[in-house]
Amino acid sequence: MDGPANDRRVTKNVLILKAGTAAHPVRLGAGDYDRWFVRALGNAGHRFHVVQADQREPLPQRVRDHDAIIVTGSPRSMVEPEAWMVRMGDYLRDAAEQRVPVLGVCFGHQVLGHVYGAKVRRSPRGREIGTVTCELTREGQEDPLFDGVPARFDVQATHEDVVEGTSGEMEILATN
């Protein structure tokens, strides 16, 4: 039986941990980090809760109140971890242990790498900036997050840090 009665969409509660603020010219043209994810995921079926983690806003008490967590980029680096970064990392590990999906992008990837024992350091190749080609891993190609995304795709990026080594506790979905 098809129709509106069977087309009930479940609202997903998505926690966005904002780890910094994009540069002023970027915000003017494209908005800030959290807005990028809201725009990409769309409001239909999603309820977003943004926490300014870098401003030491309290993290939600109950991690299971969220269906997924996204950690944004930041002008900061895990090469020089601060107390709020470590606290956020512990929170993310707890979320993952409770089977809440966690996506770390750019700085968020650094935090997750650090929490799971990887080394975060300055890239020996220097800053990477501009259009960067990313590749989905086998896991990324099978993950619903990347449904409809080609195995190779271009993104706009800037970073000067790399995450080296991972444990079996993480799933890497895309690389560059």
Side-chain angles (χ1 to χ4, degrees):
M1 203 161 127
D2 290 327
N6 286 346
D7 188 28
R8 297 173 198 245
R9 292 183 182 214
V10 177
T11 299
K12 299 287 185 183
N13 293 311
V14 179
L15 173 61
I16 298 177
L17 296 180
K18 193 170 172 210
T21 302
H24 184 70
V26 173
R27 286 193 320 272
L28 287 175
D32 209 349
Y33 298 127
D34 55 319
R35 302 306 311 158
W36 303 349
F37 291 101
V38 170
R39 193 169 35 249
L41 294 172
N43 287 325
H46 297 93
R47 183 177 306 122
F48 297 98
H49 177 200
V50 178
V51 171
Q52 286 275 169
D54 67 316
Q55 299 298 315
R56 286 109 179 130
E57 281 187 13
L59 299 171
Q61 292 276 331
R62 295 173 26 99
V63 71
R64 294 290 304 156
D65 287 347
H66 297 92
D67 299 300
I69 300 173
I70 298 171
V71 186
T72 71
S74 176
R76 296 199 175 94
S77 169
M78 283 304 292
V79 169
E80 299 170 357
E82 299 175 30
W84 69 269
M85 298 173 188
V86 174
R87 179 176 57 95
M88 183 172 60
D90 292 342
Y91 186 84
L92 296 172
R93 180 183 272 280
D94 182 50
E97 288 172 358
Q98 293 188 47
R99 313 231 3 108
V100 174
V102 176
L103 175 66
V105 177
C106 197
F107 174 80
H109 169 68
Q110 291 181 36
V111 173
L112 289 171
H114 178 81
V115 164
Y116 286 101
K119 175 79 173 151
V120 180
R121 66 182 185 95
R122 297 281 185 231
S123 173
R125 295 183 298 179
R127 179 174 290 280
E128 183 173 47
I129 187 167
T131 304
V132 176
T133 300
C134 293
E135 292 187 45
L136 294 176
T137 62
R138 183 179 47 78
E139 293 82 4
Q141 291 176 30
E142 296 171 1
D143 194 286
L145 177 67
F146 290 103
D147 187 35
V149 175
R152 291 175 55 92
F153 58 97
D154 291 336
V155 299
Q156 299 307 304
T158 180
H159 62 94
E160 58 185 335
D161 300 328
V162 294
V163 178
E164 296 177 333
T166 61
S167 69
E169 298 177 273
M170 290 178 60
E171 249 186 313
I172 297 173
L173 303 179
T175 63
N176 76 313

